[in-house]
Amino acid sequence: MEKEKIIAVQNLTKKFGDFTAVKNISFDVYKGEIFGFLGANGAGKTTAMKMLIGISNPTSGKATVAGFDVKEKAEMVKKNIGYMSQKFSLYDDLTIKENIQFFGGIYGLSRTEIKSKTESLVKELQLETIINSLVGSLPLGWKQKLSFSVALLHEPKIVFLDEPTGGVDPITRRQFWEMIYSQAYKGTTIFVTTHYMDEAEYCDRVSIMVDGKIEALDTPKNLKKHFKVDSMNEVFLKLARNVE
Amino acid sequence: MKRFIGFIRKEFYHIFRDKRSLFILFGMPIAQILLFGFAITNEINNVDIAILDHSNDVETQKIINKIKSSPYFKIENQIHNEKDIEAEFKKGKIKAVLIFEPNFSKNLVTKKVATLQTVTDATEPNVASTIANYTTALIQNYQLQKKQYNNQIKVQVQSRMFYNPELKSVFNFVPGVMTIILMLVSAMMTSISITREKELGTMEILLVSPIKPFQVIIGKVFPYIFLSIINAIIILILGFFVFGMPINGSLFLLLFESILFIISALSLGILISTISDSQQTAMMLSLMGLMLPVILLSGFIFPIKSMPIPMQLISNIIPAKWFIIIIKAIMLKGVSIQYIWKETLILIGMTVFFITLSIKKYKIRLE
């Protein structure tokens, strides 16, 4: 069976003045896969992702997300993607319910949709008893799960997760990855950046960015075999060292 | 539209759940107007003065009685020696000493001239000069009466203060405080609330969502337009009922001009938010970049006419200056739009300029 491309990137480049943050990258992401987007801080992965989610214009090159060009059809791209940043950006001074209502509202969900979504979401995360508490009073792990669920409210085809597990404990990270898996199983494509190398092992395929370029792209298994090492951590170190 | 309403509802949640913004929004206008109205005033009443009367005759007694009967001065004591003047000032109670020269009445008759000296404690310069002015006025008044008895030809200068016959400082402070409050609430609060979204990372989420950037901005700004109008009304009501500030012109015109000024302040707030990344920066920029010029260069406290020319030129680019001219004209002179269309146009021009600039800046940041 031919795999369906949901993200197609060709020769994408972003320059800030003289500095080239993203150098001519090309890759595809297939429907329903968990795609890990790895790189050290400053390697350009955030810049690359910003172009894919339509808040930064590419200097040159082409990218389509969910079938829409990010440059010309940014509005359509935005309707079809979900996004969760490393800050789990919900409003601390709004209650769980109000947050869901607000984000449902800006994605254009109807009142009845929001209502049924709120019910199922709260039930799934077992937040029934505290639905009217302020989000600011929740522990970080709960905020993270809630934030992920909110990013999925409008049933996007792709979810972009920008370092979604920063600062949470290992157990919560594990639970979070279970949520990611079950979502991918439902057919949602997951595009995730991380710098935890053990998390890279959970991904279907992984790309590693070094210095604005994609230096490696394959399944974790193949990458380890290719570099003749046991863990993704070593793959990463080897790549980074080669460039320096 | 439904998105927009949801957005605004969220904005009101933010405002009403944050005690600090609530205080700035509603506590401060009331506190400021009462402070300025009651405490900070250029008028003097019941100032304690002392008399040093070297002649102690009929004329000096007449003048002293006149002073006694005025509401401005209270004669605290009589002193008998020039040396005591400083000692009295050092005690701090007495603000001025009136000194009559020896043979006051006699000189008045024979030389046609008699001298009365006012010595004031100028550690508070405003009070001192006001005292000097008041005593001069009292003496002139006394002279006039005297001349009438003597039936001499007299040239009588009569000043009448139009629009503010009692020179009430409230008439100056209410428009001034209203300007400051509207500027503060509109510019500072919006710039802070926008930068807060940036700081928390929620702005990014909003930009990734299908809601358009200008909708985000309008959604953020709209509640503050509404609240600022309420504020303006509170200030007008306080000014009117507590301080007797008249509103001689059309209330409708006054509100229209206020809304115009609010929008220009809001666009300044947006502009500030595009160049600052944190709430602190936004606050400092609003305070230093907006509040100080408003207080110093708008003509609210320091008259523009007496500033050096460069300062006068700079004052022209301060929206608050034009707004103060406009609202004073409407409230005190009761003028209609035909007398203030020029100022109104300037304000409209500035607003359009700031909005355009902030939209441009906002777009650049998105790149």
Side-chain angles (χ1 to χ4, degrees):
Chain A
M1 194 184 89
E2 182 63 24
K3 282 186 278 185
E4 190 189 332
K5 280 183 200 169
I6 197 144
I7 299 175
V9 179
Q10 280 153 26
N11 308 321
L12 202 62
T13 300
K14 178 79 188 185
K15 285 181 185 165
F16 297 104
D18 289 339
F19 174 67
T20 312
V22 175
K23 294 172 189 159
N24 216 13
I25 59 170
S26 303
F27 63 91
D28 295 322
V29 178
Y30 303 109
K31 189 173 185 295
E33 77 173 336
I34 300 175
F35 187 83
F37 203 58
L38 274 57
N41 290 334
K45 58 184 196 300
T46 306
T47 313
M49 193 163 83
K50 278 189 173 165
M51 289 191 275
L52 296 182
I53 58 178
I55 56 172
S56 174
N57 270 333
T59 312
S60 65
K62 193 173 149 66
T64 56
V65 173
F68 300 102
D69 188 284
V70 292
K71 225 168 175 175
E72 271 115 45
K73 292 265 163 68
E75 294 314 307
M76 289 309 293
V77 170
K78 286 176 180 177
K79 277 189 186 138
N80 285 291
I81 60 169
Y83 174 63
M84 173 184 163
S85 83
Q86 50 194 331
K87 291 177 178 167
F88 320 135
S89 317
L90 298 165
Y91 292 100
D92 275 352
D93 53 350
L94 262 55
T95 66
I96 295 175
K97 197 173 165 189
E98 286 160 357
N99 264 295
I100 299 173
Q101 279 171 347
F102 172 71
F103 285 106
I106 64 169
Y107 276 96
L109 267 59
S110 74
R111 198 164 298 173
T112 43
E113 278 176 306
I114 292 176
K115 213 178 156 202
S116 69
K117 282 274 175 193
T118 309
E119 272 167 24
S120 60
L121 190 156
V122 166
K123 206 169 163 192
E124 201 182 304
L125 296 178
Q126 297 169 351
L127 298 170
E128 290 106 324
T129 49
I130 51 166
I131 184 163
N132 287 319
S133 338
L134 297 184
V135 164
S137 65
L138 296 180
L140 203 56
W142 290 25
K143 273 192 206 173
Q144 174 206 38
K145 285 180 212 161
L146 184 62
S147 181
F148 182 60
S149 307
V150 166
L152 292 167
L153 270 183
H154 58 294
E155 297 174 1
K157 292 183 183 145
I158 313 160
V159 192
F160 288 85
L161 307 172
D162 187 11
E163 306 203 348
T165 51
V168 296
D169 61 82
I171 297 168
T172 316
R173 265 170 64 195
R174 186 64 180 270
Q175 289 172 345
F176 186 72
W177 272 93
E178 275 163 20
M179 279 180 85
I180 292 181
Y181 268 115
S182 80
Q183 199 56 42
Y185 186 73
K186 287 180 196 163
T188 311
T189 310
I190 314 278
F191 186 101
V192 55
T193 73
T194 181
H195 53 243
Y196 291 112
M197 287 307 139
D198 57 327
E199 287 187 348
E201 314 256 1
Y202 302 151
C203 299
D204 293 328
R205 283 193 309 145
V206 171
S207 85
I208 299 177
M209 261 187 108
V210 182
D211 243 2
K213 282 181 273 191
I214 291 184
E215 291 293 335
L217 201 174
D218 212 331
T219 61
K221 200 174 148 195
N222 287 346
L223 282 176
K224 281 183 279 188
K225 207 155 93 190
H226 180 261
F227 287 95
K228 299 183 184 73
V229 289
D230 297 328
S231 72
M232 281 304 293
N233 203 15
E234 287 166 85
V235 172
F236 188 77
L237 285 175
K238 243 181 169 169
L239 267 174
R241 220 170 275 151
N242 283 348
V243 172
E244 274 170 25
Chain B
M1 198 58 208
K2 219 170 61 210
R3 284 182 196 177
F4 192 61
I5 292 169
F7 202 103
I8 287 170
R9 186 189 305 134
K10 177 213 90 168
E11 226 35 61
F12 276 113
Y13 284 144
H14 287 322
I15 296 166
F16 288 118
R17 282 179 190 167
D18 183 17
K19 289 203 184 76
R20 273 182 309 171
S21 31
L22 264 187
F23 175 75
I24 294 180
L25 273 170
F26 294 110
M28 220 157 67
I30 296 171
Q32 281 220 11
I33 202 88
L34 293 178
L35 256 177
F36 273 109
F38 283 124
I40 306 167
T41 155
N42 286 332
E43 298 153 53
I44 55 165
N45 275 312
N46 277 324
V47 173
D48 291 312
I49 59 168
I51 304 284
L52 174 53
D53 192 350
H54 288 300
S55 49
N56 237 333
D57 53 37
V58 191
E59 294 300 333
T60 63
Q61 270 317 312
K62 273 187 189 163
I63 292 176
I64 290 171
N65 283 338
K66 200 163 176 58
I67 289 168
K68 264 186 190 162
S69 65
S70 87
Y72 311 119
F73 300 114
K74 213 175 95 196
I75 295 172
E76 182 62 23
N77 62 355
Q78 298 264 355
I79 50 178
H80 304 285
N81 200 321
E82 310 261 326
K83 280 180 202 152
D84 295 339
I85 296 176
E86 260 213 273
E88 287 296 330
F89 279 157
K90 276 179 184 159
K91 277 187 217 157
K93 191 156 165 57
I94 279 157
K95 296 292 172 208
V97 180
L98 298 188
I99 308 165
F100 296 91
E101 65 175 352
N103 307 318
F104 192 85
S105 296
K106 209 171 126 196
N107 288 347
L108 207 56
V109 177
T110 54
K111 298 186 194 160
K112 302 277 182 207
V113 173
T115 312
L116 165 66
Q117 193 186 10
T118 320
V119 180
T120 49
D121 173 1
T123 46
E124 288 168 84
N126 287 335
V127 175
S129 68
T130 315
I131 291 172
N133 288 337
Y134 279 30
T135 40
T136 317
L138 277 171
I139 302 302
Q140 269 170 356
N141 190 288
Y142 161 80
Q143 274 180 315
L144 275 175
Q145 285 174 346
K146 234 184 134 43
K147 278 177 184 168
Q148 272 168 347
Y149 291 124
N150 290 355
N151 247 341
Q152 286 170 343
I153 305 159
K154 54 186 185 284
V155 179
Q156 192 173 341
V157 180
Q158 267 196 345
S159 330
R160 250 190 86 195
M161 300 294 181
F162 257 62
Y163 308 123
N164 188 0
E166 293 160 77
L167 288 181
K168 278 197 180 166
S169 44
V170 171
F171 289 12
N172 182 33
F173 283 130
V174 171
V177 171
M178 184 157 140
T179 310
I180 291 187
I181 297 288
L182 293 185
M183 191 51 123
L184 184 79
V185 169
S186 311
M188 188 164 101
M189 298 297 281
T190 39
S191 63
I192 288 178
S193 94
I194 294 175
T195 41
R196 184 165 72 166
E197 298 242 7
K198 275 198 214 168
E199 231 175 65
L200 296 176
T202 45
M203 188 55 95
E204 211 181 15
I205 304 285
L206 294 178
L207 291 177
V208 178
S209 81
I211 197 164
K212 293 189 177 66
F214 81 90
Q215 290 176 315
V216 173
I217 294 299
I218 293 175
K220 295 231 59 121
V221 158
F222 186 84
Y224 290 100
I225 298 185
F226 177 74
L227 293 172
S228 299
I229 293 172
I230 290 183
N231 253 322
I233 293 170
I234 291 177
I235 295 169
L236 289 177
I237 289 175
L238 272 178
F240 187 79
F241 287 107
V242 181
F243 299 110
M245 173 87 191
I247 302 174
N248 292 325
S250 135
L251 198 60
F252 177 76
L253 183 61
L254 188 60
L255 279 180
F256 165 77
E257 299 283 356
S258 305
I259 293 171
L260 183 62
F261 180 67
I262 288 168
I263 294 174
S264 82
L266 288 174
S267 45
L268 275 173
I270 299 171
L271 197 61
I272 287 175
S273 72
T274 59
I275 50 177
S276 42
D277 287 318
S278 71
Q279 295 180 65
Q280 270 105 330
T281 324
M283 194 155 115
M284 286 315 289
L285 272 176
S286 318
L287 283 175
M288 306 299 277
L290 297 179
M291 294 301 294
L292 281 182
V294 168
I295 293 172
L296 300 176
L297 292 173
S298 68
F300 163 35
I301 291 176
F302 306 108
I304 292 171
K305 289 260 158 54
S306 51
M307 290 174 193
I309 300 291
M311 289 300 212
Q312 289 194 27
L313 291 178
I314 293 173
S315 78
N316 286 328
I317 58 165
I318 309 238
K321 172 192 164 174
W322 304 105
F323 182 62
I324 288 184
I325 294 176
I326 291 170
I327 56 173
K328 272 190 182 168
I330 297 174
M331 292 170 94
L332 298 174
K333 297 184 192 164
V335 301
S336 57
I337 185 78
Q338 67 194 89
Y339 292 97
I340 46 172
W341 63 270
K342 240 190 272 173
E343 286 83 359
T344 310
L345 267 188
I346 292 173
L347 215 51
I348 291 176
M350 285 178 166
T351 312
V352 171
F353 174 76
F354 290 138
I355 289 178
T356 325
L357 196 65
S358 50
I359 290 176
K360 269 222 170 95
K361 272 257 168 201
Y362 192 76
K363 282 212 176 120
I364 292 168
R365 276 201 68 91
L366 288 184
E367 285 300 297

